[in-house]
Amino acid sequence: MIHIIGVSHIQANLNETLSRLRRLALHKGTIVFLEPKKNLLLGIQDYHHPAIAGFFSGILTFCKQMDARIVPLNPATMPSHASSKLLVKYAQQLVEEEYMAEVILRHEAHDALVIIGDVHALRLTSILAGHGRSVHYCKQAFPTPDDVVTHSWRAAAAGASDMKIDLSWLSFMNASLHSALGTPSRRSVQEACWEDEILYLKYVAYALLLTKAYPPYHEEIGAQDHIACVRAQNDCRERLRKATSSQDHPQIAL
């Protein structure tokens, strides 16, 4: 069985994630696939935010206690990370998820755990199931306004929709959340909640109420946007083919 846990990669989501992991029958032969690249997992490179570093530190400590083997899912270079156009970024993410599925399949991991951002988790589950793997998906992340927007734009990037949520809705939501929670003006409302589990739970609870009170409004995307997404996906596949190797995804014994 491949267990896929969709998480938020932040300190505030760590305890919930560890609670879920403790209920799984992990053992020495279990392979754990984690989303960061090798240099981050090995400590050669720093995470860009301490709350993200804290999450993965906790996960790695747990995996070490279970004598599990770690495989980094991300290659050294992810094309979507360098994309400035949001719709193109999401189109490339779809290809990167296919790449991640190939990494898991190459390791012949029939007994495995995948800890990945929840926005990627459900589609990765579908891809692996399509390859005949027995897969179980568990959502271990709370929905936020950013997630609502992300799923809308990903559907547009995949060609499944001609509409995407207008980003002005997200700006309104974040401003309302900032005002309600009293988070520091110098930080985004999300980042202000990343390290504090109680504040984060307040954030997601109020975000849910706001989303019900102010449903998202959409804007149409055109044929040129769809063409740009297809081109970005083809370019992403080629770049991943040329720039990656099995050395990006070793089995690491902690």
Side-chain angles (χ1 to χ4, degrees):
M1 172 71 73
I2 299 176
H3 294 273
I4 297 184
I5 300 183
V7 302
S8 297
H9 291 146
I10 53 176
Q11 185 76 32
N13 197 214
L14 176 60
N15 288 334
E16 282 290 321
T17 303
L18 290 177
S19 177
R20 172 65 59 177
L21 293 179
R22 291 187 185 104
R23 295 198 290 272
L24 297 177
L26 300 186
H27 52 81
K28 191 170 184 178
T30 301
I31 299 177
V32 180
F33 294 90
L34 287 179
E35 196 174 349
K37 59 187 177 180
K38 178 176 65 177
N39 283 358
L40 286 170
L41 289 176
L42 293 176
I44 298 171
Q45 224 172 319
D46 291 333
Y47 295 91
H48 73 274
H49 195 286
I52 297 174
F55 176 86
F56 285 111
S57 175
I59 295 298
L60 290 172
T61 297
F62 176 84
C63 291
K64 183 175 182 179
Q65 293 169 349
M66 300 304 298
D67 287 327
R69 292 169 292 165
I70 306 294
V71 174
L73 268 180
N74 286 6
T77 301
M78 296 287 276
S80 67
H81 291 180
S83 296
S84 57
K85 188 174 181 181
L86 194 56
L87 196 61
V88 166
K89 179 186 291 289
Y90 289 136
Q92 291 173 323
Q93 282 184 1
L94 301 174
V95 174
E96 291 166 351
E97 289 156 10
E98 296 167 5
Y99 175 92
M100 293 177 189
E102 291 174 2
V103 170
I104 296 169
L105 293 169
R106 284 201 303 270
H107 278 80
E108 294 295 327
H110 294 274
D111 182 14
L113 170 66
V114 181
I115 302 174
I116 191 168
D118 191 58
V119 70
H120 310 294
L122 195 55
R123 184 164 181 270
L124 187 60
T125 300
S126 178
I127 295 171
L128 290 170
H131 282 276
R133 294 295 190 268
S134 179
V135 191
H136 178 261
Y137 159 67
C138 173
K139 184 179 181 67
Q140 204 65 50
F142 297 101
T144 68
D146 293 78
D147 296 326
V148 174
V149 170
T150 295
H151 286 295
S152 169
W153 282 59
R154 279 168 58 91
S161 173
D162 289 328
M163 305 290 290
K164 56 184 174 62
I165 294 176
D166 194 305
L167 290 180
S168 61
W169 176 81
L170 184 58
S171 297
F172 163 75
M173 295 292 281
N174 286 337
S176 300
L177 287 163
H178 170 73
S179 176
L181 297 172
T183 50
S185 58
R186 66 184 182 279
R187 304 176 75 184
S188 71
V189 66
Q190 295 86 356
E191 286 192 345
C193 301
W194 280 358
E195 298 175 31
D196 187 325
E197 188 173 355
I198 294 175
L199 185 59
Y200 184 67
L201 290 174
K202 289 181 180 178
Y203 159 70
V204 295
Y206 193 64
L208 179 61
L209 292 175
L210 271 181
T211 303
K212 291 179 178 179
Y214 303 97
Y217 33 94
H218 295 74
E219 59 178 330
E220 189 172 1
I221 67 170
Q224 291 301 315
D225 290 309
H226 285 305
I227 291 172
C229 287
V230 172
R231 287 176 176 168
Q233 288 179 317
N234 291 335
D235 175 68
C236 186
R237 287 190 183 93
E238 185 65 13
R239 290 171 64 186
L240 288 172
R241 185 185 67 81
K242 290 181 177 179
T244 61
S245 73
S246 60
Q247 295 179 356
D248 290 335
H249 312 285
Q251 289 192 19
I252 302 170
L254 298 173

